């Protein structure tokens, strides 16, 4: 049996920079929601990042939207099991006619444009409250980069 060589752990500054690069350069994530009586619900979605929040779109009559109406919180995952960014976020539903033009245009470049069927879709604006990032077991310690919506200056875990 061969042993796995783990990459050297990144410091907090490097992890934050890599996380911001991933948010800025990526466009696909997993979005998990839940509510009483329905349990967890997980979907793959496209997203755009504006430096403060992620915006995605989904069907207005979806279980995701129903869950968010009951509990406006979500967990997001970007990456894979060997290199992941996990985000706990507050969520707000934004009507297609209410979204700002820059977010709508950016989202249309990475996914189906909700403006093409405004009665079917709604945008979801996700504001990070907690961000964690790790690329191996060696980085499990110090994985929290943001707490209560503020980037950390020192590790807390």
């Amino acid at each position: 049996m061969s042993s796995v060589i783990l990459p050297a752990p990144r410091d907090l500054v490097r992890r934050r920079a890599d996380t911001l690069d991933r948010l800025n350069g990526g466009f696909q994530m997993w979005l998990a929601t839940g509510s009483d009586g329905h349990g967890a619900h997980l979907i793959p979605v496209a997203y755009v990042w504006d430096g403060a929040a992620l915006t995605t779109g989904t069907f207005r009559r979806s279980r995701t939207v129903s869950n968010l109406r009951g509990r406006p919180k979500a967990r997001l995952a970007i990456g894979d099991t060997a290199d992941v960014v996990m985000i706990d976020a507050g969520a707000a539903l934004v009507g297609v006619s209410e979204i700002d033009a820059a977010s709508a245009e950016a989202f249309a470049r990475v996914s189906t444009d909700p403006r093409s069927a405004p009665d079917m879709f709604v945008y979801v604006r996700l504001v990070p409250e907690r961000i964690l990032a790790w690329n191996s077991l060696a980085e499990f310690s110090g994985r929290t980069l943001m707490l209560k919506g503020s980037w950390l200056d020192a590790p807390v875990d």
Side-chain angles (χ1 to χ4, degrees):
M1 180 180 260
S2 66
S3 60
V4 175
I5 299 173
L6 299 177
R10 298 166 292 175
D11 64 18
L12 186 73
V13 172
R14 179 78 256 153
R15 282 195 217 193
R16 179 178 172 180
D18 290 349
T19 296
L20 288 169
D21 285 347
R22 180 169 264 178
L23 287 168
N24 284 313
F27 67 93
Q28 296 177 328
M29 68 179 176
W30 291 95
L31 171 61
T33 60
S35 72
D36 294 338
H38 293 289
H41 183 66
L42 179 68
I43 61 171
V45 292
Y47 75 89
V48 293
W49 167 252
D50 67 8
L54 298 102
T55 299
T56 190
T58 193
F59 293 106
R60 180 180 298 281
R61 290 188 172 94
S62 68
R63 184 163 163 201
T64 296
V65 169
S66 176
N67 285 350
L68 291 173
R69 281 194 176 112
R71 185 173 186 274
K73 300 280 185 188
R75 174 163 266 199
L76 324 171
I78 300 169
D80 58 46
T81 60
D83 190 7
V84 66
V85 174
M86 292 283 244
I87 302 171
D88 294 325
L93 301 173
V94 182
V96 172
S97 64
E98 299 164 351
I99 194 80
D100 66 278
S103 294
E105 286 299 320
F107 190 74
R109 287 191 291 274
V110 298
S111 187
T112 300
D113 187 348
R115 297 172 298 177
S116 67
D119 292 340
M120 287 179 58
F121 292 98
V122 66
Y123 290 100
V124 182
R125 183 167 168 81
L126 300 152
V127 178
E129 296 170 354
R130 180 176 177 228
I131 298 178
L132 304 95
W134 66 92
N135 70 7
S136 70
L137 184 58
E139 284 196 350
F140 206 63
S141 177
R143 67 194 173 276
T144 303
L145 307 177
M146 175 188 281
L147 272 178
K148 298 179 184 176
S150 296
W151 292 102
L152 298 175
D153 294 323
V156 296
D157 50 16

